[in-house]
Amino acid sequence: MARGDLTDDEWAVIEPLLPLGERGPIPDLRRLVNGVMWRFRTGSPWRDMPRQYGSWSTVYGRFHLWAGAGVFQALMEAVIAEAAARGQTELGLVSVDSTSARAHHHAAGMMLDPELLEMENAVAEGKGLLQRGKTPR
């Protein structure tokens, strides 16, 4: 078992919640789930997944099917409900998305030369006229 893989107790909670394969051989689900967790924990490309988790394409394929079918959403809801039933919920562990967004240069207080700003506005106006099928003056 690698660092970050599911413990026996964690697997006992998750295993009954996973769907069985509808077609083809059923892969080792624990290894597959550990592979998905490794991929998102490291942020690595799927193709860089260590062989201990099986074929990267098998892990990705099952992840893609399950994500589309809402399996991960149902799994999260069930695990949270199980933790709440055990009195093990901790709201201090709530995660917040850390995505960053670039601000427009005006938001940063950048000053533009008024002449450059006039040219920028003229270009924007010309583009708008061309999109409406008119020619700029």
Side-chain angles (χ1 to χ4, degrees):
M1 180 167 65
R3 183 177 64 89
D5 286 355
L6 293 169
T7 65
D8 291 337
D9 292 337
E10 292 167 339
W11 181 244
V13 172
I14 292 174
E15 183 181 23
L17 304 171
L18 297 175
L20 297 177
E22 295 177 8
R23 59 184 186 272
I26 299 173
D28 178 359
L29 292 181
R30 184 172 183 172
R31 187 170 76 161
L32 189 137
V33 171
N34 283 330
V36 170
M37 289 180 10
W38 177 89
R39 193 276 180 199
F40 287 100
R41 184 174 60 248
T42 63
S44 297
W46 287 102
R47 289 179 185 262
D48 291 346
M49 181 175 296
R51 294 290 303 160
Q52 72 191 45
Y53 299 118
S55 166
W56 73 267
S57 59
T58 300
V59 177
Y60 169 76
R62 188 60 54 124
F63 164 77
H64 185 72
L65 288 172
W66 284 357
V71 171
F72 291 107
Q73 182 67 34
L75 182 62
M76 281 301 300
E77 291 169 0
V79 169
I80 290 169
E82 177 69 23
R86 293 180 181 187
Q88 296 174 334
T89 53
E90 175 60 51
L91 294 179
L93 299 176
V94 173
S95 177
V96 176
D97 184 11
S98 62
T99 303
S100 62
R102 291 186 58 187
H104 192 270
H105 59 264
H106 292 130
M110 182 177 170
M111 300 298 289
L112 285 179
D113 180 25
E115 188 175 311
L116 180 61
L117 187 58
E118 285 179 28
M119 287 187 347
E120 195 175 276
N121 289 339
V123 168
E125 185 178 310
K127 285 182 182 178
L129 291 174
L130 291 175
Q131 287 174 354
R132 286 185 237 125
K134 299 178 183 176
T135 56
R137 294 182 228 168

